[in-house]
Amino acid sequence: MPPHERSNDEWLADLRGPNRDAALADLRAVLLRGLRFALDQSGNLRDTDLEDFAQEALLRILDNLDSFRGESRFTTWAHKIAVRVAFSELRRRRWKDVSLDEWLEQSEGDFTPQLLADENATPEEVAVQQSLLDAIARLMRDELTERQRKALVLVAIRGVPMEEVARRMNTNRNALYKLLHDARKRLKQAMAREGINPQEVMQLFERTP
């Protein structure tokens, strides 16, 4: 049965039943077409890369069939999973050959997270923002352990994927979550002692249209 002729219920039934192999082949074709379109601007991608992304997506789709609620077409839901898989892998590859020291060196000269940098801010706003950032940077140096600081800088400021940070720091994702949780808790307590309100900090850096 051509992929476009299956209803949501038919996709689920075929992927769970005796027609599973045929349904997987059809779904793979759907995912590959969608990935080629979604990743058209990514560059340097081979057909084998797309095949790998599609294969990993198929495994995740099969593992999560019970979570499909039928609020969209099944193929739309599956395609979103495939795109997330692809972008996650592309982010991981981006950092694959960069050392921890290089990551941290890139952060030393500019503490400002990209999400907080506002090119339209007035000189007065820039001065206040920089003062707060300097204070937060000082608290990170003084209050956090070296390992906590590394994790927070890499994940929260540099935007390095958690899986890659965990691998480079010789730990696992759960342990990294705990490390980041403790680091944020200590930083929040230190900010409170300094009279810095985290919510006010975020409001200060919010962009206005």
Side-chain angles (χ1 to χ4, degrees):
M1 178 182 296
H4 66 275
E5 292 185 6
R6 281 189 178 88
S7 67
N8 288 349
D9 288 340
E10 287 170 335
W11 272 115
L12 293 174
D14 285 350
L15 288 170
R16 288 169 171 153
N19 295 324
R20 176 172 173 168
D21 288 345
L24 283 174
D26 288 342
L27 185 55
R28 178 192 295 274
V30 170
L31 297 182
L32 285 172
R33 284 198 299 271
L35 286 171
R36 285 193 179 94
F37 177 79
L39 303 177
D40 183 57
Q41 302 300 320
S42 296
N44 297 322
L45 284 178
R46 301 164 297 181
D47 286 343
T48 53
D49 292 323
L50 298 178
E51 289 281 354
D52 289 343
F53 298 157
Q55 180 61 34
E56 177 63 25
L58 286 173
L59 294 175
R60 296 197 188 185
I61 289 165
L62 291 176
D63 287 342
N64 290 279
L65 283 179
D66 290 341
S67 69
F68 177 65
R69 295 179 296 188
E71 296 174 353
S72 64
R73 292 176 59 187
F74 179 82
T75 50
T76 300
W77 175 78
H79 177 62
K80 289 180 180 178
I81 292 177
V83 170
R84 285 199 298 270
V85 166
F87 281 129
S88 177
E89 174 61 18
L90 290 174
R91 285 195 300 270
R92 188 192 69 78
R93 291 182 185 181
R94 174 188 173 193
W95 299 102
K96 182 178 179 181
D97 298 321
V98 182
S99 70
L100 274 177
D101 289 341
E102 287 178 292
W103 284 342
L104 292 169
E105 285 172 5
Q106 291 173 18
S107 301
E108 293 298 332
D110 181 12
F111 178 80
T112 310
Q114 289 184 348
L115 290 176
L116 299 184
D118 187 353
E119 61 184 14
N120 296 317
T122 67
E124 292 78 11
E125 289 172 334
V126 170
V128 175
Q129 290 173 354
Q130 190 58 54
S131 176
L132 278 173
L133 289 173
D134 289 344
I136 295 171
R138 172 176 53 79
L139 292 176
M140 288 180 66
R141 288 192 302 269
D142 296 345
E143 301 292 335
L144 303 183
T145 67
E146 180 66 15
R147 194 167 177 81
Q148 286 175 332
R149 188 184 72 84
K150 282 184 178 181
L152 199 58
V153 166
L154 295 174
V155 174
I157 298 175
R158 297 304 303 171
V160 181
M162 286 194 63
E163 293 83 357
E164 190 63 20
V165 175
R167 186 176 71 84
R168 294 300 183 93
M169 294 183 70
N170 296 316
T171 186
N172 58 55
R173 189 181 179 91
N174 289 337
L176 182 57
Y177 267 125
K178 178 65 165 56
L179 187 68
L180 288 168
H181 172 77
D182 292 345
R184 290 184 175 114
K185 182 177 179 180
R186 291 182 66 172
L187 187 58
K188 186 175 181 180
Q189 291 171 342
M191 290 171 66
R193 290 196 300 270
E194 296 272 337
I196 301 174
N197 186 310
Q199 284 72 34
E200 291 178 356
V201 172
M202 293 309 299
Q203 289 173 4
L204 179 63
F205 286 93
E206 284 180 351
R207 291 186 178 90
T208 55

